Amino acid sequence: MSNKPRTLSSETRQVAALPWRHGADGVEIMMITSRETRRWVIPKGNRMAGKTDAEAAVIEAYEEAGVQGDVMGAPIGWFRYGKRLKSGRVQATIASVYPLEVFIQLGAWPEDAQRERRWMSASDAAAAVDEAELSELILHFQPGGGVAE
């Protein structure tokens, strides 16, 4: 999978963080619930003026999942999904994914009352998401090496 997807003119671009840590049984991924549908997702949001995409992904991870750590400067890949807008319309969206090694997990964070968070094995996290491209990124994620081919 290419790190530089072809973006359709109608697609919105976003950034996402893949929060991870070394667990007793291997890599664990922090998943959060979406605010509206309560589906399992990873922290993601819009690009931010004056911030790199990697910096914006770190901010999203803090706000949505209450985690802090180090992010790689380059995305490991991307996934497409349909973002439901307040109007009810679905916007085609493409999100670049930045791995974030978690060092701090906060007890309180900006969206803690709106979301549930849970550490999962990579295989459980991959099975929990609806987006096939995100599932593949999670399943093949290799710390320090991006995504296994």
Side-chain angles (χ1 to χ4, degrees):
M1 183 177 302
S2 168
N3 282 345
K4 296 195 181 211
R6 281 198 336 206
T7 305
L8 303 175
S9 62
S10 61
E11 286 181 319
T12 299
R13 289 195 54 210
Q14 288 195 320
V15 297
L18 183 66
W20 68 275
R21 70 180 182 189
H22 291 287
D25 296 323
V27 171
E28 295 177 331
I29 307 295
M30 175 165 288
M31 301 298 294
I32 60 171
T33 55
S34 67
R35 287 188 289 203
E36 304 282 324
T37 64
R38 310 304 289 171
R39 293 179 310 109
W40 289 108
V41 297
I42 59 175
K44 62 188 174 302
N46 293 324
R47 302 171 83 197
M48 299 177 187
K51 303 280 184 203
T52 67
D53 285 351
E55 290 169 337
V58 169
I59 292 168
E60 293 297 338
Y62 162 71
E63 291 176 351
E64 295 184 1
V67 294
Q68 297 173 324
D70 287 339
V71 70
M72 290 173 40
I76 58 167
W78 48 269
F79 68 99
R80 287 185 164 91
Y81 75 102
K83 178 177 177 63
R84 184 160 305 281
L85 305 176
K86 289 182 180 167
S87 66
R89 190 171 74 81
V90 176
Q91 171 65 50
T93 305
I94 188 166
S96 297
V97 180
Y98 294 83
L100 174 81
E101 185 174 8
V102 174
F103 297 124
I104 298 170
Q105 182 175 324
L106 302 168
W109 66 97
E111 296 184 16
D112 65 355
Q114 301 167 34
R115 300 180 187 273
E116 182 182 340
R117 67 181 178 186
R118 184 177 304 158
W119 286 105
M120 299 182 186
S121 68
S123 60
D124 287 347
V129 299
D130 289 344
E131 300 82 8
E133 293 165 329
L134 177 56
S135 179
E136 286 296 313
L137 280 177
I138 293 170
L139 197 56
H140 299 291
F141 172 64
Q142 300 284 320
V147 176
E149 296 296 324

